[in-house]
Each structure stands twice: as structure tokens, then as C-alpha cells.
Amino acid sequence: MTRKRQSAHDLPDLQLPERGTRPGAVSVRVREDADLIELIKALRGAGAEIIAINTFPATRGEPEVVRVFDFELRNLDSAEAAVLLRDVPGVAKADPRNTLGQIFGKRVIVIGGGAQVAQVNLGAVTEADRHNLRGERISVDTIALVGEKKIADAVRAVADLPRAHILVLAGSLMGGDITKAVTELQQVGIPVVALNMAGSVPTVADLVVSDPVQAGTMAVMAIADTAQFTIERQRGKRY
Amino acid sequence: MTRKRQSAHDLPDLQLPERGTRPGAVSVRVREDADLIELIKALRGAGAEIIAINTFPATRGEPEVVRVFDFELRNLDSAEAAVLLRDVPGVAKADPRNTLGQIFGKRVIVIGGGAQVAQVNLGAVTEADRHNLRGERISVDTIALVGEKKIADAVRAVADLPRAHILVLAGSLMGGDITKAVTELQQVGIPVVALNMAGSVPTVADLVVSDPVQAGTMAVMAIADTAQFTIERQRGKRY
């Protein structure tokens, strides 16, 4: 199997701001008769590339407004997109927004047992704070789960999480299907840090760290543009 | 202004599993000639409602595959959606997935200073663990930021974050435009918990808590279906 290994810094991501591209986002509040395809066609007609669409029920209580569509775009400014969409049938309101990548940036994902997830988080949030102060945007996102199947499913789902750039597995015993899920995630270019633990996960992890606070810190350093730490040079090491 | 107040439990959310609807998700790996609108038409033709679309660059190194589209659906199973999309021009591979809502569930969002965010997190992750053990899925997602404008922008962006059900503001001084952003977020139905702090944010927050670990714990209790705690009964209280 050819595994394409790339730097955690350089993982390509359409949902992050990138030099030479114009990111845009627009939140559209629509009536029953609005058609998603017409909205997409209007944006494309102005040269936009669609990067993400999310839809929510309308909860502000405006008359006739039933649904919200949020679009993330490239090559069209938020303000231009909003003006454009106001003319599409069924649109009640269109507001320019920041993209979620502009606000929340790259994501460190932490999965595992509550006590250890919380300690990894302590390290990761504190380290992310220091990088965010220097102009980066790094979020730390977590879920506490128990059981091989639940954790393996969550590891696989990290590949589908927008802006996820690294995973930390915080537990005391992980193996079996979780290990298989880790290698699948690595194949899409997302590195995996594991606590030093029982089970086979540490044998496939990109980096193994005994102290959970340091595991969180190193995970942030691995994806920060403002850090010198590269996971390629650490691959297979244990701390 | 009519502010539609609803329970944090009951905030309607198309991206969470809901009784009586069939959630589905499919990850589609495509060649250069695939057209997003054709993919949407194929899904709709089978009766699916499109809930979310995310696109990623292809990073697995498969020949000719340039892009991944992830779809989240209602009223069409993941497996049926995958079979269907394999016949659309430009599709190299279509795999059934779990929806992100099935895996990561409702999200508690924590924004503020590193030290305090980490402590809120400690409470929230530990409490989420206890609810997830009983069958819920609650994630705790954080970003450490400094400055009125940056924090106000982040608060506003929480309205656009899929599956965000409550916000905790963890700082020592927040007011001005942040307070305005808090009231805007409350208008879409997302409650806001604040630490007891200087500035005007605590005067508009749904709940004010002095201890950060308890603030995180209460935020999780407020959105957990397995907890008795309702934020409506706590509104305006300080602990």
C-alpha cells in the first residue's frame, strides 16, 4: 500500500484561508420555496467554488423563514455573495460572514477517556493559546468515549471532520479495530499521537507520549505554522 | 424584539439523529469531471434531503481522484446513497459513513483565555464522559482567543457551527461588542454560560458561574437529555 505521507503543517485544506485565494462565507435565510440548486448556480455563475454547505432550521422567529443555508466559498467575497443571493427566489435575507476556518482554524481532535482527554486538552488548549496569540487559529475539540467500536468509528470520522489536522488518542488500552482505523486515518494524511498505553495503537501511532499534557502540547506544535516541531522528524519516537 | 426562547435540550438540529428520520452519510471520491450539482440531483432523485456538504482535497494518492465530497442526508440510508452515487459521472468511489452527528453529537463550545478555557474544559469533558457512558454523544470544542473583536467574531460564528448547542465564555473581562454578539447568539436559540467576570457579558448571559469546572459541568448538563438540569429554570442566576 502506498501511504502518502505529508507534513501535518502542509495538509491541504480547502476550508482554511490560503494565500492567493479569496475565502468567502454567506448565511442565507430562506422561505419554503427556495431551492438549494438555484443558490449554488447563482454562486457558481459569479465564479465561486463551493467548499461547504450547512443547513439549519430557522430559529429566530422571522415570519415565513424556515431554513438557513450557510455557504463557504472560494474566489468570491462574502459581501459580493450576499448581494448576489438576495436576488434568488425564496431568499429572505443573506448576510456576509467569516468562514469557520477564519475563526476556528485548524483543529486538534482528542478522543478517549474523560480523565485523560481532559489532561490532553489542558496541554493542547494552553499551547494553542500561545500560538493563537501570535496570529494562528488552532482549536482543540474533544469527545470522551468508551469501547473499541465507538472509538474506532470516531477515529474514522475524523477524516470527515472539516479542518481536523491531527488526532490525539487519550486512553489506557486501545487496539484491534481502533488500530486499523488509525492506519486508515493516517492514509488521508492526518497524523495520530497516542498516549503510551496498553494495546497495539502505540505501535502504529506517529508519536507516542507518556504525559498527557505534553501529548496535547506536542500535537498543537505539530500543526502550528509558528512552531519548529515537525512530526516527520519525530515519527516512531516515544517520550 | 421577540426573542424565541427554547430549551437547550430542544434546539432543533437537522444534523443530529432524530426519531422518525433516517440519517445517512456518504463520502464520494471524484475525478476532475464530477459535478456537485449532478451529485445533489442524484441524491434528491432518491428522496434525500441534503443537510450538509463538505469538500476536501483528495490526499490518499489514488490515480485521477482530485476531490472528496462528504454529504449528510436525511431520508436516505448511507448504503443506498453510496450505491446510487457510484453511477454518477466522475465518481471513483462512494463509501457509506456515519454522520458527524451520530459520532460527535451535540457540541459545547468554549471560548476565552487559555487557562480558563482549559479549566472549563476539564469540567465539561468529565461531565460529557458521564453522559456519553449513558448513550449520549456530547463533544466539547474550544478556542483560546484574546481581544474584544476576535472574541466577538468567534461568538457570532458559533451560530454557524454545526451542532453547537451551548457556549461557555471563559475569561476575566468581556463586554462591549462581545456582549452584543452574545445577545445575537441567544436570538438563534443558543444559550450562553459566562464565568463570573468583569465587563457586561455576565449581565446578559443565561447563567453565570464562578468556578470554571462547574461552569463546564453545568453547560453539559444543560444540553444533556440524560440530565434534569434546565437552563430556563436557572436563567439569570449566579453560582
Side-chain angles (χ1 to χ4, degrees):
Chain A
M1 189 179 320
T2 47
R3 182 177 297 180
K4 193 175 173 191
R5 284 296 198 182
Q6 46 210 347
S7 163
H9 289 271
D10 301 335
L11 184 68
D13 194 329
L14 300 167
Q15 308 207 9
L16 290 178
E18 189 189 319
R19 198 185 296 268
T21 65
R22 280 188 302 161
V26 58
S27 185
V28 189
R29 311 182 69 79
V30 303
R31 294 182 291 269
E32 197 72 66
D33 60 324
D35 181 358
L36 175 61
I37 288 181
E38 293 307 314
L39 296 167
I40 293 173
K41 283 183 178 167
L43 291 166
R44 280 186 171 186
E49 180 187 5
I50 311 281
I51 301 300
I53 303 172
N54 276 290
T55 181
F56 306 89
T59 52
R60 276 198 209 147
E62 301 129 305
E64 295 184 38
V65 174
V66 295
R67 184 67 72 95
V68 181
F69 287 104
D70 279 1
F71 293 90
E72 300 219 343
L73 312 167
R74 279 185 156 199
N75 306 322
L76 188 67
D77 288 337
S78 302
E80 289 171 61
V83 169
L84 187 75
L85 291 182
R86 283 176 199 139
D87 291 335
V88 176
V91 172
K93 203 151 184 255
D95 293 317
R97 307 290 297 214
N98 287 303
T99 68
L100 294 176
Q102 286 172 318
I103 300 293
F104 299 104
K106 295 176 188 173
R107 300 166 74 183
V108 176
I109 311 296
V110 187
I111 298 174
Q116 287 166 300
V117 168
Q119 291 306 305
V120 170
N121 246 319
L122 175 62
V125 169
T126 307
E127 182 67 13
D129 197 25
R130 299 171 73 225
H131 291 281
N132 293 349
L133 283 166
R134 286 178 280 172
E136 293 214 38
R137 291 291 173 110
I138 297 174
S139 301
V140 183
D141 297 351
T142 70
I143 189 159
L145 289 173
V146 173
E148 180 178 342
K149 181 175 177 350
K150 282 182 184 169
I151 294 174
D153 283 349
V155 170
R156 289 191 173 95
V158 171
D160 308 329
L161 272 182
R163 299 173 283 103
H165 279 234
I166 195 163
L167 169 65
V168 185
L169 286 173
S172 296
L173 168 61
M174 294 190 191
D177 194 38
I178 303 173
T179 303
K180 190 161 172 285
V182 165
T183 59
E184 290 172 28
L185 188 64
Q186 289 168 328
Q187 283 161 30
V188 300
I190 298 178
V192 179
V193 176
L195 297 189
N196 194 2
M197 66 170 97
S200 55
V201 157
T203 65
V204 297
D206 294 272
L207 177 64
V208 178
V209 183
S210 299
D211 175 62
V213 176
Q214 190 176 64
T217 305
M218 283 187 170
V220 170
M221 290 168 71
I223 65 168
D225 294 327
T226 43
Q228 299 301 318
F229 187 98
T230 59
I231 207 154
E232 290 65 42
R233 293 201 189 173
Q234 302 297 329
R235 190 153 284 136
K237 290 195 181 172
R238 292 186 176 227
Y239 291 95
Chain B
M1 189 181 319
T2 48
R3 181 179 297 180
K4 193 174 173 192
R5 283 297 198 181
Q6 46 210 344
S7 163
H9 290 271
D10 301 335
L11 183 68
D13 195 330
L14 301 166
Q15 308 206 10
L16 290 178
E18 189 188 320
R19 197 184 295 267
T21 65
R22 279 188 301 161
V26 58
S27 186
V28 189
R29 312 181 69 78
V30 303
R31 294 181 292 269
E32 196 72 66
D33 61 323
D35 180 359
L36 175 61
I37 289 182
E38 293 308 314
L39 295 167
I40 293 174
K41 281 183 179 167
L43 292 167
R44 279 186 172 186
E49 179 187 7
I50 311 280
I51 300 301
I53 303 172
N54 276 290
T55 181
F56 305 89
T59 51
R60 275 197 211 150
E62 301 129 306
E64 293 185 40
V65 174
V66 293
R67 183 67 70 96
V68 181
F69 287 106
D70 279 1
F71 293 90
E72 300 220 341
L73 312 167
R74 279 185 156 199
N75 306 322
L76 188 66
D77 289 336
S78 302
E80 290 171 59
V83 169
L84 188 74
L85 291 183
R86 283 177 198 139
D87 291 334
V88 177
V91 172
K93 204 152 184 252
D95 293 318
R97 307 290 296 213
N98 288 303
T99 68
L100 294 177
Q102 286 172 318
I103 299 292
F104 298 104
K106 297 176 188 173
R107 299 165 75 183
V108 177
I109 312 295
V110 187
I111 298 174
Q116 287 166 301
V117 167
Q119 291 306 306
V120 169
N121 246 320
L122 175 63
V125 169
T126 307
E127 182 67 13
D129 197 26
R130 299 171 71 224
H131 292 280
N132 293 349
L133 283 166
R134 285 179 280 172
E136 293 214 38
R137 291 290 172 112
I138 297 175
S139 301
V140 184
D141 297 350
T142 69
I143 189 160
L145 288 173
V146 172
E148 181 178 341
K149 184 177 175 348
K150 282 182 185 169
I151 294 174
D153 283 349
V155 170
R156 289 191 173 96
V158 171
D160 308 329
L161 271 182
R163 299 174 282 104
H165 278 235
I166 195 163
L167 169 65
V168 185
L169 286 174
S172 296
L173 168 61
M174 293 189 191
D177 194 38
I178 302 173
T179 303
K180 192 162 172 287
V182 165
T183 59
E184 290 172 29
L185 188 64
Q186 288 168 328
Q187 284 162 30
V188 301
I190 298 179
V192 178
V193 176
L195 297 189
N196 194 3
M197 67 171 97
S200 55
V201 158
T203 65
V204 297
D206 293 272
L207 177 63
V208 178
V209 183
S210 300
D211 175 63
V213 176
Q214 189 175 64
T217 305
M218 284 186 168
V220 170
M221 290 168 70
I223 65 168
D225 294 329
T226 43
Q228 299 301 318
F229 186 97
T230 59
I231 206 153
E232 290 65 44
R233 293 201 187 171
Q234 301 298 330
R235 188 153 285 135
K237 289 196 180 170
R238 292 185 176 229
Y239 292 95

